[in-house]
Amino acid sequence: THLVKDYKDGTNVYRALNDLSFEIKKGASVGLIGESGSGKSTISKLMVKLEKLDSGSIEFDFKNNKPLSSNIQMIFQDPFAALNPALKVGSMLEEVLNKHQSELSKLEKEQTLNNLLIKVGLTPEDANKYPNEFSGGQRQRLCIARALAAKPVLLICDESTSALDLSVQAQILNLLKELQVTENLSILMITHSMAVAAWFCQYLVLLKNGEIVEQGPSMQLIKHSTNGYTKALLAHT
């Protein structure tokens, strides 16, 4: 609600976000769309408290007592940089389970680990491999499995398919859409692609220069928007 974020460079002040308000409902998919520098990633950093607000508020109603890092997980743009090359997949997932699902027994953790890999279209045998043994699309599936290991309520996807080939993008987006239903996830999809957001998300928030240009249900904006910026983005899909 009314988010404001400024960055200072000496005596100069750059306003990255100016009075932004929007809502993500439980189980919904919301798309944040805008060009580079529009403020999309700044919002995600504020949501996970990597940076501090200058004014406004971010309120969560998760209805549980879990820490923020359990309730919100992020999937980033570059699956090659997001995984530790020195850790096998099994060890990577075990680390997350030990932190966020420590109540599980050793056997339950092993079963959960195997189920996570199956859920994202991989196999339990993949637990014995290193990240460099996988393709880009497979690595993004591993990133999704790692995020799910925390049992989040909200998944933030920050340009999470833009580094992948088009056919692989479609596979990952279909996987996320399926997991949204099976895992009862809310998803914030941060993207510069109107086509991706319009297909994936039920609700769209369009950003330009740190301000919301327009927001509303996807089909309503696509069919009836009179805003020039929205229409320009749609023209490039």
Side-chain angles (χ1 to χ4, degrees):
T1 305
H2 301 301
L3 302 186
V4 173
K5 177 62 181 175
D6 292 332
Y7 291 104
K8 295 177 182 176
D9 180 14
T11 57
N12 298 318
V13 177
Y14 165 68
R15 178 145 291 184
L17 299 177
N18 185 31
D19 195 27
L20 270 74
S21 298
F22 66 92
E23 182 181 35
I24 305 171
K25 294 182 179 179
K26 183 171 175 58
S29 52
V30 173
L32 271 182
I33 310 110
E35 299 163 320
S36 295
S38 60
K40 306 184 301 295
S41 292
T42 300
I43 292 171
S44 68
K45 290 174 184 174
L46 293 171
M47 289 177 69
V48 296
K49 304 199 175 193
L50 286 175
E51 295 191 3
K52 292 183 179 179
L53 280 167
D54 287 300
S55 66
S57 64
I58 299 175
E59 298 178 16
F60 299 109
D61 186 16
F62 291 129
K63 296 183 173 65
N64 61 45
N65 296 315
K66 297 193 300 181
L68 191 68
S69 62
S70 293
N71 280 308
I72 304 179
Q73 285 286 302
M74 293 186 69
I75 301 170
F76 298 98
Q77 178 176 359
D78 187 356
F80 293 91
L83 301 173
N84 185 341
L87 279 184
K88 287 185 177 181
V89 168
S91 299
M92 174 188 73
L93 293 177
E94 281 173 18
E95 275 191 352
V96 183
L97 291 174
N98 288 336
K99 179 179 179 181
H100 297 284
Q101 297 194 58
S102 56
E103 73 282 359
L104 298 179
S105 67
K106 185 176 179 180
L107 178 60
E108 287 172 330
K109 283 176 184 173
E110 185 178 334
Q111 291 171 336
T112 301
L113 191 156
N114 290 339
N115 287 336
L116 284 168
L117 290 170
I118 292 168
K119 277 179 185 177
V120 299
L122 299 171
T123 69
E125 289 72 31
D126 288 324
N128 296 314
K129 297 178 182 177
Y130 288 96
N132 64 3
E133 298 179 66
F134 297 90
S135 67
Q138 288 173 323
R139 290 190 200 198
Q140 201 61 293
R141 290 174 186 270
L142 291 175
C143 291
I144 295 169
R146 182 176 61 182
L148 293 179
K151 296 190 75 174
V153 178
L154 172 64
L155 200 59
I156 298 177
C157 302
D158 192 352
E159 299 281 8
S160 54
T161 61
S162 62
L164 305 172
D165 292 339
L166 285 177
S167 61
V168 181
Q169 277 190 38
Q171 293 170 18
I172 297 299
L173 288 169
N174 279 319
L175 172 62
L176 287 168
K177 206 158 198 176
E178 180 183 322
L179 290 170
Q180 183 182 7
V181 175
T182 59
E183 306 300 307
N184 195 24
L185 291 167
S186 304
I187 294 181
L188 179 64
M189 178 70 68
I190 297 172
T191 180
H192 64 273
S193 170
M194 191 71 168
V196 167
W199 179 81
F200 189 91
C201 302
Q202 301 153 323
Y203 192 89
L204 303 179
V205 180
L206 278 77
L207 299 176
K208 185 178 182 181
N209 299 327
E211 296 185 344
I212 293 178
V213 173
E214 190 172 20
Q215 63 176 306
S218 301
M219 287 301 104
Q220 178 182 311
L221 289 192
I222 291 166
K223 292 181 179 179
H224 304 297
S225 176
T226 57
N227 183 277
Y229 183 64
T230 305
K231 292 170 80 172
L233 288 175
L234 282 168
H236 288 89
T237 57

